[in-house]
Amino acid sequence: MSLTIDELAMPDALDGPGGHAFAEYAALCNDVESHTLGTDLLVMGPQEMLSEYVSTPTRVRRHLVARDGAALIGRAMITTRPLTPEAGAHLMVDVLPIHRRRGVGTALLAAAEAAATDVGAPVLKVAVAHSVRDGGERVEPPTGFGDLPADDPGVRFLQAHGYALEQVSRISLLAADRLRAGRSPEAPDLEDDYGLLAWAGPTPDEWVDQLAALRTRMSTDAPSAGMVAVVDPWDGDRVREHDDRIASSGRTVLTTVARHASSGVLAGFTEIVVSAGDAVAVQEDTLVVSDHRGRRLGMRLKRANADQLVAAFPAVEAVVTWNAEENRPMLDVNEQLGFREVGREAGWQKHVHRDVAARNG
Ligand SMILES: CC(C)(COP(=O)(O)OP(=O)(O)OC[C@H]1O[C@@H](n2cnc3c(N)ncnc32)[C@H](O)[C@@H]1OP(=O)(O)O)[C@@H](O)C(=O)NCCC(=O)NCCS
């Protein structure tokens, strides 16, 4: 094997210089994840992947490609957050199944770790899909919620490289037919002091600042188990940048918010992202601010947003969601809606030795 590892130059557009190499990179990411999960339900188109994999003012993403001769056989991604360096770096390594157990993953991980510690990351994190097979030896996070097969290649690899399993999340799917069958009656949902508002596409001006505040809360309110979690601050500009990037990749964000009538404050939100032509829509964040919990706002928000989805996107066949296994309140809502597990994702973490952080930081 003649292995080379190089940085991928990100293209401005898929049909411009570097676009073909990025499409090849996107296909490798999809192939590896589909192989792990045993389904191609989560495949992302290259256009939407490009819009997620570019750097933004709050998130720097670098990409490495491993080639055997001219053939692309693996990749790594390094994500750092310049405004919150204490959050550390997220790393991801994928190697095509037929090229595994020859040291390619180890070489990519070493290069990715060096890129992260070079910019002083104090902790290295991984969020990766794992297979769902039952039985056999299992590994559990310290929370005791959820487990993974010990012989999953990613599990073995991360353990061999000193990463600790901190959190297991469930990836689950709901057929849109069930949403259509259970559509809410037209009667307004206003038996108390909360009103629901829904929109498709960019956030209306009047809600931008409050949505930024809700997203900031989301960064620490969602359960993070033993993963290092720091406040990830959002402001109006970041909400606009996020909205514009999603819209320009051919995706639509469907948002429903709960407004507390007496105070005018937004008490919660939920959002689904739909890619033009895709059969599977993605459930993104859902948050009810702690003061407003216990009033079934989580379920009401999700039901209303699902109604919006099936009305506006009749071709969508299913919705996929990710939930931490210890997040019982959110799993309760999703199980009642009919979501069923299709895969697992886990959060892994390795603290960088102080000497390395001090030398490079
Ligand atoms: C995990 C992954 C990147 C490993 O790639 P790779 O090129 O096979 O990695 P290496 O050859 O460098 O393997 C290094 C070590 O990991 C462990 N390992 C990897 N796959 C293993 C398997 N199937 N069974 C047992 N151990 C395994 C072993 O300790 C191995 O060393 P060894 O071959 O000397 O026993 C690859 O399996 C993959 O892409 N999986 C899907 C994505 C993923 O889980 N990424 C990891 C998170 S970043």
Side-chain angles (χ1 to χ4, degrees):
M1 180 168 57
S2 94
L3 179 68
T4 54
I5 294 181
D6 294 300
E7 184 145 3
L8 180 74
M10 290 296 272
D12 291 329
L14 281 178
D15 56 5
H20 176 75
F22 183 79
E24 192 190 15
Y25 178 92
L28 181 139
C29 301
N30 283 324
D31 287 351
V32 171
E33 191 175 69
S34 298
H35 178 266
T36 303
L37 293 172
T39 169
D40 58 7
L41 277 169
L42 304 190
V43 160
M44 279 174 92
Q47 187 62 56
E48 53 188 287
M49 206 180 272
L50 179 60
S51 87
E52 289 302 324
Y53 281 9
V54 289
S55 294
T56 71
T58 57
R59 180 188 73 195
V60 174
R61 286 205 147 143
R62 296 178 59 196
H63 305 267
L64 305 176
V65 285
R67 295 186 186 275
D68 181 7
L72 180 67
I73 60 173
R75 68 107 186 192
M77 175 166 76
I78 305 103
T79 307
T80 49
R81 296 195 175 269
L83 303 183
T84 51
E86 64 280 21
H90 263 99
L91 309 180
M92 182 70 208
V93 173
D94 287 321
V95 176
L96 287 176
I98 55 163
H99 297 284
R100 291 182 183 169
R101 302 305 293 278
R102 293 192 293 162
V104 179
T106 299
L108 279 165
L109 184 66
E113 288 184 343
T117 55
D118 278 355
V119 294
V123 58
L124 307 174
K125 301 171 178 175
V126 171
V128 63
H130 294 287
S131 47
V132 261
R133 278 171 290 109
D134 288 329
E137 194 194 334
R138 317 295 297 174
V139 287
E140 273 187 15
T143 60
F145 289 95
D147 61 19
L148 302 172
D151 64 356
D152 176 274
V155 169
R156 291 255 197 247
F157 176 79
L158 288 163
Q159 286 181 329
H161 289 94
Y163 286 75
L165 174 62
E166 300 288 358
Q167 187 175 44
V168 174
S169 295
R170 189 186 304 180
I171 308 173
S172 43
L173 199 77
L174 175 62
D177 283 351
R178 289 195 62 144
L179 294 174
R180 282 186 198 97
R183 267 191 86 173
S184 306
E186 293 304 316
D189 204 359
L190 283 176
E191 70 275 12
D192 56 19
D193 205 12
Y194 297 90
L196 300 186
L197 298 159
W199 62 80
T203 313
D205 287 343
E206 64 177 310
W207 303 120
V208 165
D209 290 339
Q210 287 212 50
L211 201 70
L214 288 176
R215 287 189 188 284
T216 305
R217 286 288 279 272
M218 184 75 201
S219 66
T220 48
D221 274 20
S224 50
M227 302 293 285
V228 171
V230 300
V231 177
D232 185 24
W234 284 73
D235 60 13
D237 288 347
R238 186 167 172 190
V239 170
R240 287 275 173 246
E241 183 279 327
H242 174 261
D243 285 353
D244 291 349
R245 193 161 36 79
I246 292 199
S248 64
S249 72
R251 290 178 289 167
T252 305
V253 187
L254 303 174
T255 306
T256 300
V257 296
R259 183 174 169 275
H260 184 232
S262 357
S263 63
V265 162
L266 293 190
F269 78 114
T270 189
E271 56 190 8
I272 293 174
V273 177
V274 197
S275 190
D278 267 12
V280 181
V282 179
Q283 170 70 54
E284 298 280 358
D285 292 348
T286 300
L287 174 74
V288 176
V289 175
S290 47
D291 294 350
H292 301 276
R293 290 184 189 159
R295 296 174 173 86
R296 301 204 44 87
L297 285 178
M299 176 60 95
R300 285 156 64 183
L301 283 163
K302 282 203 140 179
R303 271 252 53 108
N305 217 30
D307 286 351
Q308 178 173 209
L309 172 71
V310 295
F313 291 89
V316 164
E317 290 170 18
V319 180
V320 65
T321 191
W322 283 253
N323 303 109
E325 280 292 349
E326 67 271 29
N327 193 351
R328 206 7 75 193
M330 197 74 264
L331 286 170
D332 278 345
V333 170
N334 289 339
E335 286 167 3
Q336 281 169 42
L337 286 167
F339 277 92
R340 294 284 169 265
E341 180 171 31
V342 293
R344 248 161 242 194
E345 187 175 282
W348 298 78
Q349 186 166 260
K350 178 160 85 172
H351 289 274
V352 176
H353 196 275
R354 259 176 228 231
D355 295 347
V356 177
R359 196 164 60 238
N360 297 326

